[in-house]
Structures are given as structure tokens and as C-alpha cells.
């Protein structure tokens, strides 16, 4: 088989998020985020780690961009911290915070790196949480004003915008469980409401880019859709996977692409569904330019005897990365984009995250031979190439992550970087996977 070659102009990049790398959590006027607060509660985060310093990227961005440039990174997906820009989320902007992102974006461009900016990657200003957080519509309105500000300020240099990262993670998995901030379990109705507010915020983000973006500015949503992988690639199982795809993502993709909560939402939510207003779905379903998929894993699905999709449980010893949820299933990288195309007719897709978390340990001579990560990412890219060859419109791929960073509940115990972060010295060392990925980006082939 010839070495798989990606289309000319395929976008290769790396990804991070502000709360996971910046540190400087309370410097230069930055407001407290819900994660800054939550990390202070003993026992919530592995090793009681916090976000105060993380990778100290706030002070080290110049050398980080120099390293990216050395590796040949041309596209960088980052997020801006809402509480750095507007400390209480809704009031007066913070000039020092705005100036920081000004310097950051200029430095990126000086290193020939294009910014792909996520407006929100989970770090809600604590002051907004105290006023109801994602439970209340006013948070979507505040997000809209924040989006207006950042698009007006940086839109001359930022051409690609992502409104929100993974709505499920800061709504359903946050207000429906105690393990993520705010750490309070809410009723089903409120959980549905938090998701609805997130959808409204997405709509506000799209509106902001249309109103204030430079000509040619583009915007999309990044979702962590649950991806069904048919147990066999035969017609009945593929049909079951298509049906499962709709059902597993009943809360997210229908409103964005069809402008409605479908029948399944009504069926599942019953009387506990979100309270909606007449114009909500026009805002939520404004046309976007691309769809971002974060793909790490999937679920196996087959057609049951009645043809209905059946999601198969994983046997206990099914292989995973060093995170129990990250079951190694590279075909998700084929089926995720393909189902977005076949079920929702999406015309342009970017993989905005993919990678694997392992407990990397440097060898005696300081190398990090992360053969497991390299292997998984290579398999995933093979599946992505197969999707493109089948006509699925995938135009780019961002590896998660540029460097090891604050891995949420896992603190610093799980490493997802292709560069190793030594937290004691803040030294970054490209792992074997980074050396390999650099060659993939350079040659546009799956070397
Ligand atoms: C991404 O989410 C995040 O965008 C990124 O910030 C993070 O660093 C990266 O993953 C690696 O974790 O507790 O069993 O319900 C990936 C999707 C969804 C995976 C939530 C973990 C929780 C599993 N994540 N999921 S569980």
C-alpha cells in the first residue's frame, strides 16, 4: 500500500486550552474561574493540584511558540480565558488581560503560526456561577458580550473561531454530578436548562463573529459527540450506527443543524425539558462554517434483531490508554466524520482534538519513547485518511496536546502532550510522538 497522503492544504495543528496551560490564575487582574475555586476544595482533584501555575505558559509563550515553530506547527488551537478578559464575566474588561492576548497573538503570528481561537473551554467566571451560571439565560447574554469584545479586538488577526468546547462537559457532566464544578447535583430540568444556555451561548458566539469578524472570518462549534462504530461495516450495522448517532447525541446536534429538539429529546426529557423561547432556535441554528469534532474514543454498535441499534458493553479488559474512559478505538476517527456528513450533511469538518493520555516516564538519557501514543495517533490518522478517501469533507486535524498540562480531575498525573512538561523546571521536551508528528505535518503523509 502506498504511504497515505493527505489532501494539499490539509490543516495540521496542535491544541491546548487556557486553563490547562496558562497558570497566572490570579495575576494581572484575572478573575477567579469555577475551576480555580473548585481546585481549592480538598480531595476534588488528583493530588489536590490547582491551576495557579500549570505550564506557566503566561510567562513562557514566546519560547513555547519557538518550539512549535521548530516542530513545524503552522496552526494552533488555543482558548482565551473569559475571566482574564472580563474578571467577573459581565462587567468591566481587564486591560491587562486584553493586552496579554494581544501580545500572545502577535507572538504566534511572528512565529508563522495561525491562531484557531476557542472562546470558551470550561473556565466560567466564578462571579457568573454565583449568579446562576449555566442555569440562567443571562450567562448566554454575558457570553455574547464577551464574544463581541474578543472578536472586535482580535478579529483583525484571528480568522478561525470556535465558540465552545464540548458543551456536555461543562453542563451535563458538571451540574449532573459532583465531580466537576460547581460540584452540586441539580435536577434533570436544571441540567437540561444548562445545556440549553450553552446552545444559546454558541449562537451568541456565531452572531459575534458575523457582526464583528473580518471579511472571511469563520466560526464553528467543537463537540465531543459520542461516536458509534458499527460492529461490521455492512448495511444493517451501518444503518444502526446512523440511528445510534442521532440518539446518542440527541441534545446537541439536532438543535444546531436542524433548529429543534427532536422527538427523542421530548421523549427523554418529558416534563423536565429546558424552558425555551420562540427565537432561541434561530439563534442556535445559525449557519456555521465548519464543525469541530474532538475524537478520542467511541462505542461499538450493532443492529439488534429488530434492527434497532444496540450499544455493546466493553469487556473489562478492553484496551485503554491510561484513562479508563479512553478505550482505544481508532475507527471512531472514520465513523465520527462520516456520520456527521451522512446524518447531518455537514460540509466541512475539523478534528479539533485527538490524542491519548499516558503516564510517560523519561528514559535514563531523558528521551520520552511514547510508542503507545504514537501508535494510537497513527492508527487514528489512518482511519481519518480512509474517511477522506471515501469523500468525507475533513479539512484538518489538531493533536491534543502540544504539551502535558493540567488534566482537569486528574491534575498533572495524566499526560496528553506530544511534548513532555517537567513541572519542576518547566522544561519542555519533544517526545518521540512529536518528532514523528513533525514529519507527518512536514510531508503531509502518514510516515
Ligand atoms: C477533552 O475532552 C478536553 O477538551 C480536554 O480539555 C482534555 O484535556 C482532553 O479531553 C483529555 O482528557 O468521567 O467517564 O464521564 C475529551 C472528552 C469527555 C473525556 C468527558 C472524558 C469524562 C469521562 N471528555 N469524559 S467520564
Amino acid at each position: 500500500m502506498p504511504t497515505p497522503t493527505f489532501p494539499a492544504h490539509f490543516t495540521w495543528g496542535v491544541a491546548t486550552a487556557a486553563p490547562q496551560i496558562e497558570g497566572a490564575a490570579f495575576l494581572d487582574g484575572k478573575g477567579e474561574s469555577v475551576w480555580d475555586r473548585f481546585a481549592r476544595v480538598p480531595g476534588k482533584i488528583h493530588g489536590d493540584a490547582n491551576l495557579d501555575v500549570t505550564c506557566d505558559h503566561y510567562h513562557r509563550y514566546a519560547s513555547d511558540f519557538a518550539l512549535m515553530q521548530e516542530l513545524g506547527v503552522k496552526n494552533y488551537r488555543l482558548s482565551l480565558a473569559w475571566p482574564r478578559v472580563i474578571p467577573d464575566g459581565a462587567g468591566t474588561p481587564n486591560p491587562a488581560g486584553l493586552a496579554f492576548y494581544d501580545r500572545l497573538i502577535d507572538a504566534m503570528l511572528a512565529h508563522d503560526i495561525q491562531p484557531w481561537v476557542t472562546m470558551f473551554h470550561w473556565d466560567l467566571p466564578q462571579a457568573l456561577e454565583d449568579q446562576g451560571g449555566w442555569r440562567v439565560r443571562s450567562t448566554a447574554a454575558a457570553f455574547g458580550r464577551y464574544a463581541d469584545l474578543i472578536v472586535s479586538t482580535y478579529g483583525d488577526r484571528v480568522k478561525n473561531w470556535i465558540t465552545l468546547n464540548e458543551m456536555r462537559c461543562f453542563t451535563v457532566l458538571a451540574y449532573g454530578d459532583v465531580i466537576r464544578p460547581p460540584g452540586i447535583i441539580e435536577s434533570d430540568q436544571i441540567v437540561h436548562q444548562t445545556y440549553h444556555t450553552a446552545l444559546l451561548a454558541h449562537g451568541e458566539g456565531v452572531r459575534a463573529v458575523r457582526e464583528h469578524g473580518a471579511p472571511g472570518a469563520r466560526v464553528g462549534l467543537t463537540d465531543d459527540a459520542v461516536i458509534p462504530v458499527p460492529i461490521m461495516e455492512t448495511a444493517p450495522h451501518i444503518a444502526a450506527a446512523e440511528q445510534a448517532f442521532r440518539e446518542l447525541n440527541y441534545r446537541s446536534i439536532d438543535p444546531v443543524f436542524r433548529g429543534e429538539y427532536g422527538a427523542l429529546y421530548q421523549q427523554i426529557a418529558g416534563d423536565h425539558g429546558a424552558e425555551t423561547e420562540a427565537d432561541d432556535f434561530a439563534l442556535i441554528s445559525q449557519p456555521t462554517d465548519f464543525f469541530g469534532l474532538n475524537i478520542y474514543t467511541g462505542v461499538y454498535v450493532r443492529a439488534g434483531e429488530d434492527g434497532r441499534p444496540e450499544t455493546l458493553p466493553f469487556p473489562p479488559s478492553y484496551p485503554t490508554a491510561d484513562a479508563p474512559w479512553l478505550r482505544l478505538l481508532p475507527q471512531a476517527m472514520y465513523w465520527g466524520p462520516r456520520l456527521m456528513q451522512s446524518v447531518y450533511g455537514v460540509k466541512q469538518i475539523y478534528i479539533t482534538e485527538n490524542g491519548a493520555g499516558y503516564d510517560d516516564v523519561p528514559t535514563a538519557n531523558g528521551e520520552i519513547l511514547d510508542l503507545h501514543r504514537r501508535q494510537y495517533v497513527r492508527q487514528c490518522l489512518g482511519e481519518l485518511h480512509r474517511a477522506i478517501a471515501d469523500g468525507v469533507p475533513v479539512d484538518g486535524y489538531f493533536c491534543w496536546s502540544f504539551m502535558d498540562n493540567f488534566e482537569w480531575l486528574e491534575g498533572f498525573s495524566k499526560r496528553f502532550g506530544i511534548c513532555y512538561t517537567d513541572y519542576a523546571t518547566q522544561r519542555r521536551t519533544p517526545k518521540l510522538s512529536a518528532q514523528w508528528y513533525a514529519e507527518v505535518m512536514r510531508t503531509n503523509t502518514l510516515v
Side-chain angles (χ1 to χ4, degrees):
M1 217 179 66
T3 315
T5 299
F6 285 78
H9 312 299
F10 190 77
T11 296
W12 292 104
V14 294
T16 67
Q20 296 180 268
I21 63 162
E22 283 181 2
F26 298 98
L27 274 192
D28 297 340
K30 177 177 166 293
E32 186 185 25
S33 78
V34 291
W35 277 90
D36 293 328
R37 173 76 61 95
F38 191 71
R40 291 269 170 317
V41 182
K44 289 293 189 191
I45 294 187
H46 183 97
D48 283 336
N50 61 48
L51 299 78
D52 295 6
V53 179
T54 62
C55 303
D56 195 29
H57 179 70
Y58 189 78
H59 297 111
R60 294 168 194 268
Y61 62 86
S63 51
D64 284 336
F65 296 148
L67 177 54
M68 280 187 202
Q69 190 172 27
E70 248 173 67
L71 293 170
V73 172
K74 296 261 194 298
N75 297 279
Y76 173 40
R77 174 176 177 240
L78 67 153
S79 80
L80 306 194
W82 185 356
R84 194 180 295 291
V85 173
I86 305 177
D88 68 3
T92 314
N94 170 27
L98 284 165
F100 168 66
Y101 289 121
D102 223 30
R103 296 195 298 278
L104 188 88
I105 292 167
D106 284 345
M108 228 177 288
L109 294 169
H111 286 89
D112 198 22
I113 300 165
Q114 283 300 316
W116 291 63
V117 171
T118 304
M119 297 174 178
F120 180 75
H121 199 122
W122 308 356
D123 45 353
L124 183 71
Q126 179 65 44
L128 287 184
E129 174 56 34
D130 295 341
Q131 294 159 48
W134 293 104
R135 301 169 192 85
V136 294
R137 300 175 70 93
S138 54
T139 294
F143 179 83
R145 294 192 297 275
Y146 157 67
D148 286 340
L149 175 63
I150 58 177
V151 176
S152 315
T153 310
Y154 309 116
D156 56 336
R157 286 155 288 167
V158 176
K159 302 296 175 222
N160 289 290
W161 296 92
I162 293 162
T163 54
L164 306 174
N165 184 68
E166 301 184 352
M167 293 181 291
R168 200 166 57 98
C169 288
F170 63 87
T171 59
V172 178
L173 297 183
Y175 295 84
D177 201 332
V178 290
I179 63 172
R180 294 180 185 80
I184 304 162
I185 297 197
E186 297 289 2
S187 66
D188 286 358
Q189 201 281 326
I190 292 179
V191 171
H192 283 300
Q193 205 66 47
T194 63
Y195 204 96
H196 191 69
T197 310
L199 287 165
L200 293 172
H202 160 70
E204 290 286 351
V206 177
R207 180 200 51 72
V209 172
R210 300 300 181 227
E211 282 179 14
H212 306 291
R218 303 187 324 141
V219 61
L221 171 70
T222 276
D223 194 30
D224 61 328
V226 180
I227 296 167
V229 170
I231 199 69
M232 289 178 225
E233 297 193 353
T234 57
H237 297 295
I238 292 172
E242 289 184 334
Q243 182 57 25
F245 190 60
R246 289 189 199 100
E247 295 181 3
L248 290 164
N249 303 294
Y250 74 97
R251 221 184 308 232
S252 57
I253 318 184
D254 272 354
V256 171
F257 289 102
R258 300 207 163 133
E260 62 179 16
Y261 286 133
L264 195 69
Y265 184 93
Q266 317 299 346
Q267 201 181 310
I268 293 175
D271 296 341
H272 308 293
E275 283 171 26
T276 62
E277 291 179 12
D279 298 337
D280 287 357
F281 290 100
L283 182 71
I284 292 168
S285 65
Q286 287 164 93
T288 54
D289 301 296
F290 60 85
F291 195 71
L293 281 172
N294 290 352
I295 300 182
Y296 292 87
T297 186
V299 293
Y300 287 106
V301 165
R302 71 178 172 199
E305 295 200 338
D306 53 358
R308 292 266 317 133
E310 247 177 51
T311 299
L312 302 178
F314 285 96
S317 54
Y318 188 91
T320 66
D322 287 341
W325 59 270
L326 211 166
R327 300 193 173 89
L328 303 176
L329 214 179
Q331 301 95 299
M333 197 57 109
Y334 175 84
W335 286 99
R338 180 166 154 175
L339 293 169
M340 279 310 299
Q341 180 194 36
S342 70
V343 179
Y344 290 94
V346 173
K347 301 271 189 310
Q348 190 172 39
I349 297 165
Y350 289 87
I351 305 305
T352 41
E353 289 181 27
N354 167 247
Y358 285 104
D359 307 329
D360 300 296
V361 181
T363 60
N365 66 359
E367 280 191 281
I368 297 95
L369 300 176
D370 56 338
L371 294 164
H372 34 27
R373 178 177 297 102
R374 198 303 290 253
Q375 191 63 7
Y376 188 51
V377 170
R378 193 175 192 283
Q379 289 169 344
C380 288
L381 283 175
E383 292 290 332
L384 191 64
H385 185 269
R386 181 162 77 98
I388 296 168
D390 282 358
V392 180
V394 183
D395 284 336
Y397 171 95
F398 293 79
C399 183
W400 183 274
S401 175
F402 169 61
M403 60 185 156
D404 301 331
N405 55 48
F406 177 80
E407 180 50 25
W408 307 111
L409 302 178
E410 304 298 338
F412 299 103
S413 68
K414 294 286 176 270
R415 297 174 175 274
F416 276 79
I418 57 170
C419 292
Y420 184 86
T421 304
D422 176 353
Y423 293 103
T425 61
Q426 291 295 354
R427 198 182 137 82
R428 334 287 197 210
T429 307
K431 303 177 190 176
L432 182 84
S433 57
Q435 295 163 14
W436 168 78
Y437 188 56
E439 200 59 14
V440 172
M441 291 189 287
R442 191 180 70 76
T443 60
N444 205 29
T445 58
L446 200 48
V447 289

